[in-house]
Amino acid sequence: MEVAKYKAKTYVVTSAQYRDEDADSIINEEFCDTLEKYCKERGAELLVMTMAGRTAHDNVLDNEVRKYLLRRDKNLNEKIKASYQSVRPQQIDPVTGLGRFTQSDVTTIFASSKQRLRVIPNSNESLPKVLMTTGALTHPNYKEDRIGKIALKDHIYGAIVVEIEGPTTYHQRQITANRNGEFVDLGIKYTPKGTEECSLEALVLGDWHVRDTNPAVREATFEMIRDFKPKRIIVHDWHNGHSTNPHEEEKYIMRAMYYAQGRASLEQELRDDSAELHAIRKVAGDETEIVIVRSNHDEFIDRYLQKGRYLKEPHNWRIGHELALACYNPENPKLRIKNPLQEGLARYGGIPANVTFLDRNQDYKVLGWQLGAHGDRGGNGARASVKGFEDSYGKSISGHSHTPEILRNTYRVGTSTHLSLSYNEGASSWMNTHGLLWGNGKVQLVNIIDGKWRRK
């Protein structure tokens, strides 16, 4: 009988800088000790990749890491590998130019003292590949010039956890440590002295899009809520907007199909949105705050009402008039209408008491992380980018693009929908990814693959 080449196994992949032979050890001994205990407890294999040091003449590695060294590329399964390709730790964006050097559908982990994650579309049907970097097991070792000072600021104690399910399926996530070696993985804080539970301050869901939500992702999300009991659940694009989508206004065949499927009624869509809010509340409980971030799909209703499109749609004529009057707000000196999604949910199905609606210009910060920006608008209303979000907010977790990403302290979640919808064509970078902000102030991105978010 043929033995499977890639069995269920857990890897922890990190990196270490070289040092000068006359310098003291630069290993973060507390982090190293915690990682070793984590690996022993989880039955995981620790892999350490090397990075350049302060200068090209640094050529010494501390003895603590030599036994874990990865000396060549290693395939963890057929779809993910650790690359021995050298990336200079001072490089500001460590994955620049690397996408074209990896196989078309193989996720690749590179050594870097930064934690970077960038998803690259490579298929119309299968999951995209991910480029990611590890963080370091060593203390910073840089020159005191401009590039060295930037590298020092961006230096992260961290690693990548990879849980192999079999030949092609895996789960990966980052762990980020404090200088004292403590880190959190899926609700457990690991320290040099032992373990303890850690609170989940915020669960940031991938864009939800009621009625386009993937049922398997929905059930996995409910499982995460039950397991971690988050203090807050942050949702983006809660409302899908299929009943009022301005981008499909003149797609008459599609609109007719929506009508046949019961997706053309704004009232029904609002009732579906309300029912899903009550379902989340039932799973999370009344003590968990559910925060609806103002998002571009929510604002489809605004545009629908402002243009008076309901005047030409008999099935939405009555509710259109009701919401237009409900949102009429002449007392507002900035001439801003009331939130039509909130007004509609209050009338059609109701809003649980623990739901908070954010305004477009409202901050919502937890442990210093900005969670109140959707991700579609940058500074002064310009088109947003991850780099622009970093400049504006510093630490943030946002949504919108349906594509997870990490750029230093700027995180983006993915989507909770099916990965193929009517409006994304061609090679896709969409992934089902949530963000978890733990009580120690660190963030993990967790993917849901085939309805599973970890190997059990």
Side-chain angles (χ1 to χ4, degrees), residues 262-273:
R263 288 168 62 99
S265 167
L266 176 55
E267 178 179 338
Q268 184 57 55
E269 184 168 11
L270 289 169
R271 291 192 183 278
D272 292 340
D273 292 345

Side-chain angles (χ1 to χ4, degrees), residues 242-261:
H242 43 261
S243 64
T244 60
N245 192 332
H247 306 298
E248 298 169 350
E249 182 178 355
E250 296 182 354
K251 294 182 178 180
Y252 296 111
I253 298 175
M254 181 175 288
R255 299 302 302 168
M257 293 167 61
Y258 279 2
Y259 189 85
Q261 295 173 358

Side-chain angles (χ1 to χ4, degrees), residues 258-309:
Y258 279 2
Y259 189 85
Q261 295 173 358
R263 288 168 62 99
S265 167
L266 176 55
E267 178 179 338
Q268 184 57 55
E269 184 168 11
L270 289 169
R271 291 192 183 278
D272 292 340
D273 292 345
S274 173
E276 188 75 334
L277 272 181
H278 284 284
I280 291 274
R281 182 212 60 78
K282 184 176 180 180
V283 174
D286 294 330
E287 299 302 315
T288 298
E289 183 183 18
I290 302 171
V291 180
I292 297 182
V293 177
R294 197 83 154 100
S295 306
N296 60 307
H297 275 250
D298 302 348
E299 292 173 346
F300 286 177
I301 310 177
D302 304 53
R303 297 166 68 177
Y304 183 77
L305 298 177
Q306 293 280 20
K307 292 184 69 174
R309 285 173 50 201

Side-chain angles (χ1 to χ4, degrees), residues 1-161:
M1 183 176 67
E2 184 177 354
V3 179
K5 184 176 181 180
Y6 297 106
K7 298 181 180 179
K9 185 173 181 178
T10 300
Y11 294 93
V12 177
V13 188
T14 187
S15 58
Q17 278 187 277
Y18 285 105
R19 63 172 173 84
D20 183 82
E21 61 182 354
D22 296 325
D24 294 334
S25 170
I26 59 172
I27 293 292
N28 183 329
E29 295 181 358
E30 292 85 357
F31 184 35
C32 184
D33 185 39
T34 307
L35 275 184
E36 288 177 330
K37 291 179 179 178
Y38 174 90
C39 290
K40 182 177 181 180
E41 181 177 316
R42 300 290 304 278
E45 181 178 350
L46 181 61
L47 302 176
V48 178
M49 299 188 287
T50 59
M51 298 181 290
R54 179 185 176 91
T55 72
H57 301 292
D58 289 359
N59 59 3
V60 174
L61 286 173
D62 293 295
N63 291 330
E64 293 96 324
V65 301
R66 287 185 175 278
K67 57 185 173 181
Y68 304 120
L69 279 187
L70 184 66
R71 301 181 184 276
R72 62 182 184 278
D73 285 6
K74 181 178 179 63
N75 293 318
L76 308 185
N77 75 2
E78 294 173 11
K79 296 294 183 181
I80 184 170
K81 70 176 182 179
S83 173
Y84 191 64
Q85 182 170 334
S86 178
V87 176
R88 287 190 61 78
Q90 295 89 344
Q91 188 167 327
I92 292 175
D93 187 343
V95 300
T96 297
L98 294 179
R100 58 197 175 97
F101 291 108
T102 62
Q103 292 173 253
S104 63
D105 62 347
V106 176
T107 287
T108 306
I109 303 171
F110 296 95
S112 174
S113 55
K114 303 170 179 65
Q115 285 191 329
R116 177 75 161 104
L117 184 144
R118 185 159 69 91
V119 180
I120 298 179
N122 62 272
S123 170
N124 298 341
E125 297 178 344
S126 62
L127 287 170
K129 66 180 177 184
V130 182
L131 304 183
M132 69 187 94
T133 58
T134 56
L137 187 61
T138 46
H139 294 300
N141 182 26
Y142 310 111
K143 290 184 177 180
E144 306 236 348
D145 55 11
R146 173 182 172 275
I147 296 298
K149 290 178 180 178
I150 293 173
L152 177 63
K153 179 177 176 59
D154 296 342
H155 191 96
I156 294 292
Y157 300 111
I160 306 294
V161 176

